[in-house]
Structure formats: structure tokens, C-alpha cells
Amino acid sequence: QVQVVESGGGLVQAGESLRLSCAASGSIFSFNYVGWYRQRPGKRREFVARMTEGGKRWYQDSVKGRFTISSDSMKNTVYLQMNSLTTEDTATYYCNARNAHSTFGDSGVWGQGTQVTVSA
């Protein structure tokens, strides 16, 4: 079974950028959708962004225009470029690969998460 591992989290100041990576042990687009979720302190895990192999992309409204999801199929890796970070973006970010169209639920394969902390 394909596994995914996130990296790239860290501590940054508000307004700065980070790029998260999600590396798969096999073909990352063996799934219909690959994307990112996050769990902010005291909140439920929420959808952030996802994409298909064909390049179709979806974003949560709060990150549109600031976050960009992309992929490198040769490296079996999906990225999340996060710009203009705010303290509200502080969360554990999880990579998810799934076949289900719905963004809800725990479907598919999950990574262990990478922590992003944005200081004011």
C-alpha cells in the first residue's frame, strides 16, 4: 500500500512563507485526489487543498490566493506552497491521498502530519 510522508513544517513569522512536501512510497496519483488537510488547535481537522493528476485544483476559501498545491509526478511528491501566512494558519498539516470525491471523512491514506506554527 502506498504511504505518504509530510515534511517542511516549521516556525515562521506572520507574512512569511513555507512549502510543505508530501512524498509517496509509490505512484502518488494512483489515487484520484491528493491533497492537504489541517487541524488547528482546538478545532476539527479541515480540508485545505487538493488536486488531481490532470491538474484540477480545489482550495478552502480561507487559503485561496495564498496557498498553491502542485505536484512532481516524477518524484511522486505533492507540494503546498503557503504564502502570507497568518497565525490562523497554525496547525498540523496532513497529506491525504484518496479515491473518494468527498473531502469529508477519513478516507484514503494519511501521513503523520507536519507542524506549522506562525507567530505574530
Side-chain angles (χ1 to χ4, degrees), residues 99-110:
N99 289 318
H101 177 70
S102 173
T103 59
F104 294 99
D106 294 331
S107 174
V109 176
W110 294 87

Side-chain angles (χ1 to χ4, degrees), residues 21-37:
S21 299
C22 170
S25 59
S27 175
I28 199 162
F29 286 113
S30 61
F31 296 89
N32 292 335
Y33 305 97
V34 182
W36 293 90
Y37 288 70

Side-chain angles (χ1 to χ4, degrees), residues 2 12 20 25 35-37 39 50-51 60-61 65-66 70 80 83 90 92 94 96 99 101 105 113:
V2 173
V12 296
L20 306 183
S25 59
W36 293 90
Y37 288 70
Q39 187 164 16
R50 71 176 183 180
M51 66 179 298
Q60 184 198 107
D61 285 346
R66 300 189 299 121
S70 62
L80 186 67
N83 299 329
T90 294
T92 302
Y94 297 91
N96 171 249
N99 289 318
H101 177 70

